[in-house]
Amino acid sequence: MTQRTLSIIKPDAVQRNLQGAILKMIQDSGMKIVAMKMLQLSKDEARGFYAVHQDKPFFDSLTDYMSSGPIVVSILEGENCIEKYRDIMGATNPQNAQEGTIRKAYALDIEKNSVHGSDAPDTAEAEMAYFFSRMEMVG
Ligand code: CMP
């Protein structure tokens, strides 16, 4: 089944100039980029994006971090790409991430973990709509 998912290259990775390396790992896996932009979230925009985590103890720190610098957001398309991208990212905590994954290679810790990917079809739809209009999605 062809799916779409939202990818974010987070501030820790953009700050270290890892956009190209991470996008290469994504593209080498065969997924297609059908939308992309670079932006910096405000604290309120980061709160809105991560609203599902608002009761978590790490919410304030997470939203400070996610609004601390530029991010690269993109929409990926491919066969089962929601699960596929999560496999390529690796575990949320890089200490548990497998060799060959983005987080194993680049994540700094459980919060500054370099990338985000949607976890299910309904969240993918909501997350893509958070950043992109239909006109910005090609293909
Ligand atoms: P992400 O996949 O974007 O989804 C929620 C984010 O919250 C996660 O990646 C991490 O950046 C962060 N996160 C998850 N668990 C923790 C934690 N225990 N402590 C700090 N940050 C966390």
Side-chain angles (χ1 to χ4, degrees), residues 7 40-41 47 73 108:
S7 160
Q40 182 162 356
L41 291 170
R47 280 198 193 103
V73 283
L108 300 176

Side-chain angles (χ1 to χ4, degrees), residues 117-135:
S118 311
D119 63 2
D122 55 340
T123 46
E125 283 302 321
E127 291 183 357
M128 291 187 287
Y130 199 80
F131 287 105
F132 294 97
S133 70
R134 287 284 156 202
M135 275 175 64

Side-chain angles (χ1 to χ4, degrees), residues 18-89:
L18 293 169
Q19 305 92 302
I22 291 172
L23 290 169
K24 177 163 170 42
M25 289 173 83
I26 290 170
Q27 291 183 303
D28 284 350
S29 77
M31 289 183 289
K32 191 171 153 193
I33 298 168
V34 296
M36 182 156 67
K37 59 186 159 191
M38 190 167 184
L39 58 97
Q40 182 162 356
L41 291 170
S42 67
K43 173 88 172 168
D44 270 354
E45 288 164 345
R47 280 198 193 103
F49 182 75
Y50 278 117
V52 66
H53 294 303
Q54 60 192 345
D55 297 328
K56 303 270 173 57
F58 56 81
F59 183 67
D60 195 46
S61 171
L62 172 64
T63 52
D64 270 350
Y65 155 62
M66 286 300 292
S67 57
S68 68
I71 59 175
V72 174
V73 283
S74 52
I75 296 178
L76 311 181
E77 184 180 87
E79 197 65 17
N80 290 320
C81 77
I82 295 174
E83 193 183 334
K84 188 168 175 180
Y85 184 46
R86 293 182 71 78
D87 287 346
I88 291 164
M89 287 193 300

